[in-house]
Amino acid sequence: MEKIIDENKQGQPLILDQKKENQRKLFIESYGCQMNFSDSEIVASILAKEGFNTTQDLEDADLVLVNTCSIREKAEQTVRKRLEKYNAVKKINPRMKVGVLGCMAERLKSKFLEEEKIVDLVVGPDAYKDLPNLIEEVDAGRNAVNVILSKEETYGDISPVRLQSNGVSAFVSITRGCDNMCTFCVVPFTRGRERSRDPQSILEEIDELVAQNFKEVTLLGQNVDSYLWYGGGLKKDFEKASDFQKATAVNFAKLLDMVAEKHPKLRLRFTTSNPQDMTLDVINVMAKHQNICKYIHLPIQSGSDRILKEMNRLHTRQEYFDLIDNIKSIIPECAISQDIITGFPTETEEDHQDTLSLMEYVKYEYGFMFAYSERPGTLAARKMVDDVPEDIKKRRLAEVIELQRKHSEYRHQAFVGKTVEILIEKESKKSDAHWSGRTTQNTVAVFPKGEYKIGDFVMVHIDECTSATLLGEAVGYSDNN
Ligand code: SAH
Ligand code: F3S
């Protein structure tokens, strides 16, 4: 097999096994969660072995793949708009084939082919290894679909091609699927049952990243705290495992401890944590290792006990407060962010006030806030009426966003006058004379470039802030370099 050398965006050499003589060009883009972006890197790796090189130029592509999101209706509309764009490009470039990957592919299956004539290929999130066969079908002039969800697939054996990476931070998937069945959420239907990846393959992928000089890794899963490796298989089948498998099982706290211990200079992050699955062990491991970032994304969705129950979030408001109190007492400097949904079916003004008062208690660093969007097939869609009028959902959302803006400003203000460690990730979007990086708390900081370069850990004195960004000046390298 001939080897070719390619270059990714940072100019780092990337060695690809080339199977086919003629290089074909792959344009791949991703919408939605970080898992989709990470999956696209797996897809690029699978197709590199088939002779596909990635291109940034849509008009030049032989194959266009779009990794899609179904989480809200708007996310699906965005993808439909992109398909219109591909349609226009196909008029100039008729050889171009179009494939849809990810959650919309899984949700709509072969219906996609009927609804969108431009689409040649529909591939669900667990079927990417079948892409070479599916592309052969398409080459032979037939449409191809594979949306089979798997009990095993974790892509643990595939080394992702780091697409558009800054060469500093990378994502590593550790679990796939979700068993939680929150009543509003389409993910369990599009990504299947929860399974965890072999810790050995996770450690190997991270070793490789460290060897390539990456400085930060984010462990990814729909529900990372639920990670459980007992030799393979679905999380729900753990009860049936042998005594030996149970005794040697690796949970999330253990995995985090192993990675942090092995690479003490690597910054470690993880997302997402579901409050019902987060343990004190995880918080203690975070406190034990300086290199585990002091930041937890801890979606709450609603501050009302009644709504939490309707959402099938398996914890109460009080249990959430207890978790927050534990985090803050074990790691006082820990930042916390939220996801909140406004206007879930039956949400009253009083429920909404409960959400606002919960926010007042926690004072999140920042958050991701959404108006409820009914998703076909979910329990909420089947059993509940989407009865909160759109204007009320929007008004409540605006109130939540405004309160969050105040809290972000309050949290950021606390950094002013302090000197904090920043990992430099990229040039600031607003000025080519400034670097942009993040604190351990995940807050973005911007400062004049000076002698420093991307990938350096620097100490930055924070002079001022906005609700989104800290502004400061570098005062020297940190000990972590
Ligand atoms: N696994 C994560 C969430 C994944 S989806 C967790 O543990 O919570 C990301 C966020 O999208 C959710 O936290 C929720 O706030 C939002 N979301 C999901 N379904 C939604 C819907 N139907 N309407 C509006 N927002 C939704
Ligand atoms: Fe969705 Fe709830 Fe899982 S929000 S991804 S079903 S934890």
Side-chain angles (χ1 to χ4, degrees), residues 30-41 67 163 171:
S30 313
Y31 291 89
C33 65
Q34 286 151 336
M35 182 76 82
N36 265 2
F37 286 77
S38 171
D39 281 358
S40 292
E41 298 187 332
N67 205 339
L163 296 166
F171 294 109

Side-chain angles (χ1 to χ4, degrees), residues 106-175:
E106 194 62 50
R107 196 176 83 69
L108 293 163
K109 306 187 169 56
S110 54
K111 258 202 288 182
F112 231 128
L113 299 171
E114 295 153 30
E115 288 178 18
E116 303 281 354
K117 293 285 171 261
I118 178 93
V119 174
D120 305 290
L121 180 69
V122 179
V123 193
D126 286 348
Y128 299 145
K129 279 190 189 156
D130 195 27
L131 269 165
N133 302 322
L134 297 168
I135 290 169
E136 264 180 38
E137 283 290 298
V138 170
D139 285 344
R142 292 182 287 270
N143 289 330
V145 179
N146 186 345
V147 288
I148 295 169
L149 288 171
S150 162
K151 291 181 178 168
E152 299 288 340
E153 186 60 88
T154 59
Y155 301 111
D157 54 338
I158 293 179
S159 175
V161 170
R162 304 288 162 187
L163 296 166
Q164 298 180 24
S165 158
N166 57 7
V168 176
S169 36
F171 294 109
V172 172
S173 294
I174 63 163
T175 69

Side-chain angles (χ1 to χ4, degrees), residues 71-72 178 180 184-187 221-223 272-275 299 301 313 339-341 368 370-375:
I71 201 82
R72 284 167 291 275
C178 185
N180 278 340
F184 53 80
C185 185
V186 78
V187 170
Q222 297 302 332
N223 189 9
T272 299
S273 293
N274 188 310
Q301 318 298 0
R313 301 288 287 189
D339 287 350
I340 286 174
I341 298 175
F368 303 92
F370 318 96
Y372 174 67
S373 163
E374 187 177 83
R375 305 314 294 133

Side-chain angles (χ1 to χ4, degrees), residues 7 53 91 142 187 209 211 272 312 328 396 433 435 459:
E7 288 206 336
N53 259 344
K91 295 200 174 86
R142 292 182 287 270
V187 170
L209 287 165
T272 299
N312 196 33
K328 294 281 179 178
R396 290 179 188 163
W435 289 131
M459 300 310 294

